[in-house]
Amino acid sequence: GRGFYQERNYDEAVKYFQKVADQFGQNPTTREALGFLGSTYVRLKRTDDAVAAYKLIIDRFPNEPGLDRAYLNIIDAFHEAGRHTEALNWVTQTRTRFKGDVGSNLALFSQLRIHLAQSAWQDVIKDADELSKLGALGGLRVAGGTTSEEVSFLKAFALEQLGSTNEAISAYLAI
């Protein structure tokens, strides 16, 4: 499955990842296969199938470390499909489930990016203000992570889009 995935032969990759998921239940290999299955479906633009694969990870491995990644992948799948309402619903679920953990903060950053895509500048500023108060943003080494500088830049950009030129300039210069 991985070989086909790397070759971008996603239709073939799905067959193998699904076979592992069907035959090996709770095995850690199954969790990995489900993650690849979800990712493969995203690339095939089969959002509902991708979400179903990520939900299987949540259902089958509810106490495993890194579970927040399945939630975050659901948010990203919906966002990529332009299904922002569903993505924002999963942001709320993720922030509730992982309150106080980095997964919650990454979900908030996902929300900021959705608001950015929607040109919802006031919401971007609100999200950036909330993120700037949080410590664990994941950084550049965590998928979906961010830095305080990036958050500050996105806030400055939103201010600029709103026509708050002096505030935007001050925010840019503060970076």
Side-chain angles (χ1 to χ4, degrees), residues 33-174:
L34 286 168
F36 272 108
L37 184 61
S39 178
T40 303
Y41 280 137
V42 167
R43 280 155 181 74
L44 290 169
K45 308 243 184 276
R46 292 173 54 181
T47 304
D48 292 326
D49 292 326
V51 169
Y54 295 131
K55 284 181 179 179
L56 277 175
I57 295 172
I58 294 167
D59 293 342
R60 288 189 190 179
F61 305 94
N63 300 313
E64 294 290 319
L67 186 63
D68 59 344
R69 182 59 37 207
Y71 283 78
L72 295 166
N73 287 341
I74 290 172
I75 295 167
D76 289 343
F78 281 134
H79 181 197
E80 283 187 37
R83 293 164 61 176
H84 296 141
T85 301
E86 291 163 288
L88 291 171
N89 180 325
W90 275 89
V91 165
T92 301
Q93 290 182 54
T94 306
R95 294 196 69 205
T96 299
R97 170 69 171 79
F98 299 99
K99 187 175 181 142
D101 291 335
V102 69
S104 174
N105 301 348
L106 295 178
L108 178 58
F109 185 56
S110 292
Q111 178 175 288
L112 182 149
R113 292 192 325 266
I114 293 165
H115 288 146
L116 189 67
Q118 295 174 321
S119 300
W121 307 119
Q122 290 292 349
D123 291 328
V124 170
I125 292 167
K126 181 180 162 222
D127 295 338
D129 285 342
E130 188 174 348
L131 280 165
S132 69
K133 297 173 188 168
L134 302 173
L137 300 177
L140 300 177
R141 293 187 175 160
V142 173
T146 188
T147 63
S148 59
E149 294 83 8
E150 182 178 24
V151 171
S152 295
F153 174 82
L154 293 172
K155 178 180 178 179
F157 180 76
L159 288 165
E160 181 181 357
Q161 298 308 304
L162 286 171
S164 300
T165 306
N166 290 336
E167 275 186 87
I169 291 170
S170 294
Y172 283 131
L173 290 174

Side-chain angles (χ1 to χ4, degrees), residues 17-35 53 56-62 64:
F17 295 136
Q18 189 65 58
K19 187 175 184 177
V20 172
D22 291 342
Q23 290 183 357
F24 298 102
Q26 301 294 115
N27 188 299
T29 302
T30 301
R31 181 178 175 184
E32 192 173 337
L34 286 168
L56 277 175
I57 295 172
I58 294 167
D59 293 342
R60 288 189 190 179
F61 305 94
E64 294 290 319

